[in-house]
Amino acid sequence: MTTTDARPADGYTGAIARVYDLVHQGKGKDYAGEAADLADLVAARAPGARSLLDVACGTGLHLSHLAARFERVEGLELSPDMLAAARHRNPGTTVHRGDMRDFALGTTYSAVTCMFSSIGHMTDQAELDAALAAFAAHTESGGVVVVEPWWFPETFTPGYVGAAVVEAEGKTISRVSHSRLEDGATRIDVHYLVAEPGEGVEHLAESHRITLFPRFAYELAFERAGLAAEFLPGGPSGRGLFVGLRP
């Protein structure tokens, strides 16, 4: 039995990156449906949108569906292991390695998206501002920026325990998480047991700190980036979506 700790600076790494998709798909995450809803939202706010950059694209499951809706789709990912998975899954799609706080690709897109609350890994207002500034800099005039936030302080549930058991690719994977309040942020400790016939049971562990930005902090970051923002309740994970238009 082995234990692996994720490196927060680089996101999901190593063995955890390899079971990430299996767990979330097994829990019922509908990547195809989410991508379709996202594409519809972009089309409604930016008619004629032809290109999209998905920031913190993970293993590229959204990208594989978004590619059918836009002429040009690209991704950006910090974790080397997630990046490798995204490139393997989407061989015809450009996926850049970069940090959402300071990436510079030298081009613009009709839409820039950042989903699955990846924005919550920004540690303070300055980093949040930097990320939104980078998103805006890569958005063409008349384009749209879509960001899925983490929970707000008033909607977070301290002590929450999540649990799931999935079977996929010959493996049985148990995932248990515990979330607690830590200095204005969520500390999530996650443990996996991965069992495979003839291979035994592997124990993987990760811990992430995700900032509990209040709603006004996101709105301020959008404003400072020159984006006219609105908040849409609901969204794919129930945490809502911020949608910003670039003049």
Side-chain angles (χ1 to χ4, degrees), residues 203-215:
H203 176 212
L204 309 172
E206 61 180 339
S207 182
H208 292 279
R209 188 179 190 275
I210 308 178
T211 306
L212 288 164
F213 289 110
R215 175 172 167 174

Side-chain angles (χ1 to χ4, degrees), residues 10-40:
D10 290 339
Y12 298 91
T13 59
I16 290 175
R18 292 192 292 274
V19 301
Y20 180 90
D21 288 337
L22 301 181
V23 170
H24 287 288
Q25 286 181 298
K27 289 168 60 180
K29 187 169 178 62
D30 181 5
Y31 286 92
E34 290 179 11
D37 290 344
L38 184 58
D40 289 343

Side-chain angles (χ1 to χ4, degrees), residues 111-125:
V112 174
T113 62
C114 184
M115 304 299 290
F116 218 2
S117 301
S118 299
I119 195 73
H121 289 282
M122 301 299 94
T123 61
D124 55 24
Q125 186 72 52

Side-chain angles (χ1 to χ4, degrees), residues 210-242:
I210 308 178
T211 306
L212 288 164
F213 289 110
R215 175 172 167 174
F216 71 78
Y218 291 101
E219 293 171 338
L220 181 59
F222 272 84
E223 179 184 346
R224 287 173 171 171
L227 300 167
E230 62 177 317
F231 177 69
L232 305 178
S237 303
R239 295 187 281 269
L241 292 171
F242 284 99

Side-chain angles (χ1 to χ4, degrees), residues 170-234:
K171 301 178 179 65
T172 298
I173 306 166
S174 172
R175 177 187 185 274
V176 177
S177 66
H178 177 263
S179 302
R180 65 184 189 276
L181 191 62
E182 180 184 275
D183 298 327
T186 299
R187 171 63 66 181
I188 303 180
D189 297 313
V190 186
H191 293 264
Y192 303 82
L193 292 178
V194 184
E196 190 170 1
E199 299 294 332
V201 180
E202 183 179 17
H203 176 212
L204 309 172
E206 61 180 339
S207 182
H208 292 279
R209 188 179 190 275
I210 308 178
T211 306
L212 288 164
F213 289 110
R215 175 172 167 174
F216 71 78
Y218 291 101
E219 293 171 338
L220 181 59
F222 272 84
E223 179 184 346
R224 287 173 171 171
L227 300 167
E230 62 177 317
F231 177 69
L232 305 178

Side-chain angles (χ1 to χ4, degrees), residues 127-153:
E127 289 195 353
L128 187 61
D129 290 351
L132 265 297
F135 297 171
H138 289 80
T139 306
E140 63 191 32
S141 179
V144 61
V145 173
V146 182
V147 173
E148 182 178 9
W150 182 237
W151 298 111
F152 303 142

